[in-house]
């Protein structure tokens, strides 16, 4: 099991030298976006979701909750996050409470089977399906929770060929729970799960630049509470991810889809 971190709130406060409520949004952005591209990657998804205040949005694999809170702040939507890692959900709830967004953003531990069909106006995933072996079942279950005509966005890591990245990686410590697909395979799987393609963009070059500038952003954040510091063997996992992108083993693709009516 890769996601074994515990007592994340205590770790964040220890590294930051302050309580959660005292942290600025810039400091929070250093650790609560568990995907490449950080807060800007979330902004890149937003335009394609066509969100409006009052909509109900599903975040599948919500992690520490950074994207869900960002979507809520930007759009006025109600966002529901779901994740299978209890420590991540606990941290997401605590961070949301101190951000004053608990009335607008909520989190649940488990899978999406607990949600009603056609419950959401839109949905998204960010760096989640790498751990999913049966991707067709995964995206089909997401489709069932969205209303007909709903927008769905993805920001996901893909293989570029037959070569596999070297673990440990942000989503897998030893490779045993890593199930990567090529970009073409992933796009086709999403489409076969009930979605119509709107846009499929290779964001790899931009993500490479994001990694190259990571050190400067961490220093500018003014906090030791960073994502690599919170993860087991975090610096090595992030470095291996960056190397796999730089050497062409991995790509990152952003997708926009509409659920067929």
């Amino acid at each position: 099991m890769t996601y074994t971190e515990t007592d994340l709130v205590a770790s964040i406060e220890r590294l930051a030298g302050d309580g959660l409520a005292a942290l600025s949004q810039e400091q929070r952005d250093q650790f609560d976006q568990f995907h490449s591209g950080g807060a800007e990657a979330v902004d890149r998804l937003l335009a394609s979701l066509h969100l409006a205040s009052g909509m109900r949005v599903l975040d599948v694999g919500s992690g520490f909750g950074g994207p869900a809170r960002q979507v809520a702040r930007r759009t006025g939507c109600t966002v529901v996050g779901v994740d299978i890692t209890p420590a991540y959900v606990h941290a997401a709830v605590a961070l949301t409470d101190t951000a004053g967004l608990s009335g607008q953003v909520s989190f649940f531990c488990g899978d999406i089977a607990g949600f009603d069909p056609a419950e959401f106006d839109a949905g998204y995933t960010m760096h989640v399906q790498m751990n999913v072996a049966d991707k067709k079942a995964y995206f089909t279950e997401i489709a069932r929770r969205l209303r007909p005509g709903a927008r769905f966005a993805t920001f996901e890591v893909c293989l570029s060929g037959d070569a596999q990245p070297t673990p440990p990686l942000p989503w897998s410590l030893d490779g045993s729970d890593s199930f990567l697909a090529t970009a073409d395979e992933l796009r086709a799987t999403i489409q076969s799960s009930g979605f119509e393609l709107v846009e499929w963009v290779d964001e790899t070059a931009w993500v490479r630049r994001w990694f190259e500038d990571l050190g400067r952003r961490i220093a500018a954040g003014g906090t030791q509470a960073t994502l690599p510091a919170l993860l087991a063997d975090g610096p090595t996992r992030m470095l291996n991810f960056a190397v796999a992108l730089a050497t062409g083993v991995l790509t990152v693709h952003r997708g926009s889809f509409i659920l067929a009516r």
Side-chain angles (χ1 to χ4, degrees), residues 46 51-54 57 70-79 104:
L46 278 176
L51 299 178
S53 180
V57 183
Q70 185 172 338
V71 170
R73 289 194 306 269
R74 295 275 201 274
T75 68
C77 291
T78 296
V79 185
Q104 192 178 348

Side-chain angles (χ1 to χ4, degrees), residues 151-164:
R151 295 277 178 154
F152 177 61
T154 61
F155 188 75
E156 295 290 346
V157 180
C158 303
L159 284 176
S160 62
D162 295 330
Q164 293 286 333

